[in-house]
């Protein structure tokens, strides 16, 4: 199946609802015309489960009955259970709920607790408005899938959609009808710990994955009891935290916001995500949680988003340390005025909003609109009809087979084979059917908990199968020599020595090294060094020195810079954090039951000095060219070019890269038309039309020249020159995962239209311009020969 972003596709308009919204802001007709007319910056969102006149009617009726305090109550959210951030907020939830002072709770630890709170809300509060229960369900609820960075590495949105659906079924059975996912922050800096939670560095791939999550979570209908509301986050620029330090400031031009950072949000919202979370960071001088440009101008006016905006954890209160608010009242005023509907944990709305409205500092229409945004979601979920969760729905025993199998499939497709050179003439992987004795070494070889990765929802270590266990099941415990070798941060000489001895006595060594999931990856886990923590590199060097064939499995939430390993260790797999089926999935790939097929969604740097590093960069006026492949590149003939004097520009492994167990050949890329009309494509950007009609089709033949069946992710990139704004050296515009039997060839075609060729111009309008285009169909972002075409006026 071919995946296109569909980002700018128009469907049914929601303008009536939007008109109501604007009316409640006291905005007049001309503003509406500006937001929706032919000059609009981007097509307004056209598909939302919230744009339903029946819902609007019920919201109207309820609003009429609500007091100011009850309205404010709907905008307060608290964490009840293990906290996922600093400070707990308020605490006396039962009495607050009874007084109608709470709209949402999250982090609850059981369905029973949810039902108990819900009883108070619907039986004791005056208007019986149900609570909305949320949770960070990032890569599964109990069935823990690979971390999102790994899920994206499958380049398979159907895998992601099904994983999200399973997560929705399990979450909803636990009373959770709102998941704080997908995280769609584009991230170009692996020092940032939260790179693990997203789909990597590319806006196109990020958009495809964002849509897949939303489809899975929200299903065909939000009213379905197994559906949950998605919450796309963190709006916006959080992934561009300076120096990769979590919560740090971001500076991003409006052009780059539109080209790179907005698209996955737009994609998730146009797929119907009913909520969005504002981010912690300051963006261009203004904290994102008090940013009217992003939260109102873009989100409400340009995109016409009808849903709920929740702050991040205490990010309303954090406007005080940011320095743009002197106290909680000022913070509350700035956040709600900018467009944040619900205050997560900081208690600022609860404490101050009623007074702010009474004194006229916050307008009644803005308050009302925020409340409407919350109520719409509650109605759409059917919470008023059915506020409780049947406690028998939750699975307590073994996980259903189908879920476990999906976790295994997702993991298998997420591993990226980075290097597979030989023992002698033959690559080490796949292992022979009977590889002899296997030494299994490393802190991650038998650690179920860490297989789950950071943010593992309600994942249970007892559901996870480790590499050691799976290998024992495969070849028999007698053939496995296990030595932990090191802890994450420490190791004794004796431990390392034991591991070396295990290796010496084996025919092949599998090393499982990497990061400690939650401590070294995820939120508040930015790293200034991207090496293997503790003494693991020493362990690796000593084990490799035994001369035994070594397979290094890297478990991490980000690329790691390991120059020695990449030079000396013959076989290396990026295994990420694979989830509950880590062991079985790895074993199947190691033994070649299935070939590795994941591809990198982030450029893998040679050194941290290259960061931020991403493939879709601008060329500069003095490009270094790609000719100098020596390391370090000391003898380049060119001095005054954009390069390092002590390292190459290129990453160690480019975006889109991943090896397999076969060899593939790509033919020259072809296009069926060498001249296209910009006018025709611009029509499709503005009108309700298929954006394929005015484009070209690119195709290439891909042949499996080896003797193993493989899956290949075929990618298509474009570069535009002669445009009004500088465009990246390559931009992903499509991809397709295909299966190829040995010797088989397939012609892979990509229809390319306005979506592929449009750019944001100087006036921040999306359009196709007269330009020269190069098109590559290639196995990654660095290879292939382009074909040219021209776009004329
Ligand atoms: C902070 C994180 O940034 C956000 O992603 C998460 O959803 C909230 N905490 C709630 O746990």
């Amino acid at each position: 199946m071919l995946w296109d972003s569909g980002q700018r596709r128009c469907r049914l308009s929601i303008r009536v609802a939007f008109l109501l919204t604007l009316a409640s802001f006291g905005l007049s007709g001309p503003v509406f015309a500006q937001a929706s007319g032919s000059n609009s910056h981007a097509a307004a969102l056209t598909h939302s489960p919230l744009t339903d006149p029946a819902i609007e009617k019920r919201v109207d009726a309820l609003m009429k009955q609500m007091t100011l305090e009850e309205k404010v109550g709907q905008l307060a959210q608290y964490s009840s259970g293990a906290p996922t951030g600093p400070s707990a907020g308020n605490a006396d939830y039962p009495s607050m709920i009874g007084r109608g002072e709470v709209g949402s709770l999250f982090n609850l630890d059981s369905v029973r607790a949810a039902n108990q709170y819900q009883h108070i809300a619907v039986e004791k509060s005056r208007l019986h408005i149900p609570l909305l229960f949320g949770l960070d369900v990032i890569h599964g609820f109990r069935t823990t899938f690979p971390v999102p960075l790994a899920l994206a590495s499958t380049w398979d949105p159907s895998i992601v959609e099904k994983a999200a659906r399973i997560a929705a079924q399990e979450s909803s059975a636990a009373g959770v009808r709102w998941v704080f996912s997908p995280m769609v922050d584009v991230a170009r800096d692996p020092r940032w710990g939260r790179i693990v939670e997203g789909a990597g560095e590319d806006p196109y791939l990020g958009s495809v994955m964002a849509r897949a999550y939303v489809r899975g979570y929200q299903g065909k209908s939000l009213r379905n009891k197994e559906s949950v509301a998605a919450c796309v986050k963190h709006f916006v620029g959080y992934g561009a935290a300076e120096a990769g330090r979590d919560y740090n400031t971001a500076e991003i031009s409006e052009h780059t916001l539109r080209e790179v950072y907005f698209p996955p949000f737009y994609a998730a919202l146009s797929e119907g995500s009913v909520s969005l979370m504002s981010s912690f960071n300051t963006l261009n001088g203004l904290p994102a949680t008090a940013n009217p440009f992003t939260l109102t101008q873009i989100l409400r006016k340009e995109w016409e988003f009808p849903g709920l905006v929740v702050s991040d954890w205490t990010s309303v209160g954090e406007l005080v340390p940011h320095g743009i608010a002197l106290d909680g009242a000022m913070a509350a005023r700035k956040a709600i005025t900018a467009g944040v509907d619900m205050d997560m944990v900081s208690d600022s709305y609860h404490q101050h909003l009623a007074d702010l409205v009474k004194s006229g500092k916050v307008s009644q229409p803005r308050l009302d609109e925020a409340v409407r945004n919350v109520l719409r979601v509650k109605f759409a979920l059917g919470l008023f009809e059915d506020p409780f969760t049947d406690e028998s729905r939750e699975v307590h025993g073994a996980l259903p087979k189908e879920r476990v199998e999906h976790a295994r499939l997702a993991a298998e497709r997420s591993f990226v084979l980075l290097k597979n050179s030989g023992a002698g003439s033959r690559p080490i992987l796949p292992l022979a059917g009977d590889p002899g004795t296997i030494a299994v070494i490393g802190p991650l070889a038998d650690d179920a908990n860490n297989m789950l990765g950071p943010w593992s929802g309600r994942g249970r270590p007892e559901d996870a199968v480790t590499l050691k266990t799976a290998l024992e099941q495969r070849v028999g415990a007698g053939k496995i020599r296990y030595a932990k070798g090191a802890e994450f941060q420490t190791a004794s000489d004796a431990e390392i020595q034991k591991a070396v001895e295990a290796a010496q006595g084996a025919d092949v060594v599998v090393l499982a090294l990497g990061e400690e999931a939650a401590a070294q990856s995820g939120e508040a886990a930015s790293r200034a060094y991207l090496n293997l923590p503790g003494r693991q590199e020493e362990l690796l060097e000593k084990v490799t020195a035994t001369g035994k064939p070594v397979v290094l499995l890297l478990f991490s939430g980000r690329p790691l810079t390991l120059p020695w390993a990449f030079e000396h260790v013959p076989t290396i797999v990026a295994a990420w954090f694979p989830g509950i089926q880590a062991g079985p999935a790895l074993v199947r790939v190691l033994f070649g039951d299935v070939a590795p097929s994941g591809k990198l969604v982030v450029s893998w740097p040679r050194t941290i000095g290259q960061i931020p590093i991403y493939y879709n960069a601008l060329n500069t006026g003095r490009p270094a060219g790609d000719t100098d492949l020596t390391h370090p590149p000391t003898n380049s003939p060119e001095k005054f070019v954009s390069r390092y004097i002590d390292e190459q520009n290129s990453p160690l492994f480019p975006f889109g890269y991943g090896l397999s167990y076969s060899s593939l050949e790509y033919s020259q890329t072809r296009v069926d038309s060498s001249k296209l009309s910009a006018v025709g494509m611009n029509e499709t950007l503005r009108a309700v039309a298929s954006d394929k009609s005015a484009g070209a089709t690119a195709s290439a033949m891909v042949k499996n020249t080896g003797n193993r069946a493989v899956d290949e992710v075929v990618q298509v990139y474009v570069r535009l020159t002669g445009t009004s704004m500088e465009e990246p050296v390559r931009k992903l515009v499509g991809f397709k995962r295909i299966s190829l039997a040995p010797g088989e060839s397939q012609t892979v075609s990509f229809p390319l239209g306005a979506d592929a060729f449009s750019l944001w111009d100087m006036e921040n309008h999306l359009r196709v311009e007269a330009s020269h285009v190069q098109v590559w169909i290639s196995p990654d972002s660095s290879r292939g020969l382009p074909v040219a075409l021209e776009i004329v006026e």
Side-chain angles (χ1 to χ4, degrees), residues 150-197:
L151 281 174
S153 307
T154 66
W155 295 64
D156 189 339
S158 69
I159 289 273
V160 171
E161 181 175 340
K162 187 164 175 192
R165 191 69 203 150
I166 292 170
Q169 287 160 345
E170 294 181 351
S171 307
S172 58
V176 172
R177 296 295 303 281
W178 188 18
V179 295
F180 306 139
S181 169
M183 190 203 92
V184 303
D185 295 301
V186 168
R188 297 168 158 183
D189 191 332
R191 291 171 299 184
W192 189 52
R194 302 196 77 173
I195 196 171
V196 67
E197 286 178 64

Side-chain angles (χ1 to χ4, degrees), residues 200-217:
E201 72 191 36
D202 186 66
Y204 176 85
L205 180 69
S207 299
V208 172
M209 293 302 166
R211 286 178 176 274
Y213 280 103
V214 174
R215 282 195 302 273
Y217 291 139

Side-chain angles (χ1 to χ4, degrees), residues 79-84 105-114 133-145 167 170-176 178-180 313 394-397 399 403 449 452-464 580:
S79 162
S80 167
T84 44
L105 285 180
F106 68 112
N107 282 341
L108 269 59
D109 53 19
S110 70
V111 59
R112 179 150 307 160
F133 298 110
L135 191 72
D136 288 287
V137 176
I138 307 300
H139 49 113
F141 180 84
R142 178 175 158 197
T143 305
T144 307
F145 297 98
E170 294 181 351
S171 307
S172 58
V176 172
W178 188 18
V179 295
F180 306 139
W313 178 289
E394 220 175 356
V395 176
H396 293 289
L399 283 169
R403 296 180 191 173
N449 194 29
L452 303 178
W455 279 123
S456 55
R458 296 290 178 259
R460 303 178 187 176
E462 60 269 28
D463 288 337
I580 54 167

Side-chain angles (χ1 to χ4, degrees), residues 183-310:
M183 190 203 92
V184 303
D185 295 301
V186 168
R188 297 168 158 183
D189 191 332
R191 291 171 299 184
W192 189 52
R194 302 196 77 173
I195 196 171
V196 67
E197 286 178 64
E201 72 191 36
D202 186 66
Y204 176 85
L205 180 69
S207 299
V208 172
M209 293 302 166
R211 286 178 176 274
Y213 280 103
V214 174
R215 282 195 302 273
Y217 291 139
Q218 298 195 169
K220 290 200 176 67
S221 164
L222 268 187
R223 293 184 80 85
N224 181 328
K225 287 179 127 191
E226 294 196 333
S227 292
V228 296
C231 182
V232 60
K233 69 189 189 184
H234 308 81
F235 200 59
V236 57
Y238 187 33
E242 278 176 5
R245 210 179 71 218
D246 211 356
Y247 316 121
N248 204 7
T249 306
E251 282 292 317
I252 311 171
S253 70
E254 181 173 344
H255 177 73
T256 304
L257 282 171
R258 290 180 182 277
E259 286 278 351
V260 179
Y261 291 90
F262 285 167
F265 287 93
Y266 188 86
L269 296 177
S270 49
E271 197 65 48
S273 174
V274 294
S275 73
L276 169 144
M277 188 183 291
S278 71
S279 57
F280 287 123
N281 57 288
T282 289
L283 173 68
N284 301 336
L286 202 52
T289 292
N291 198 318
F293 172 67
T294 51
L295 293 175
T296 297
Q297 180 59 39
I298 297 294
L299 191 63
R300 301 293 188 188
K301 294 191 182 164
E302 196 171 313
W303 298 351
E304 303 182 8
F305 175 55
L308 160 60
V309 174
V310 63

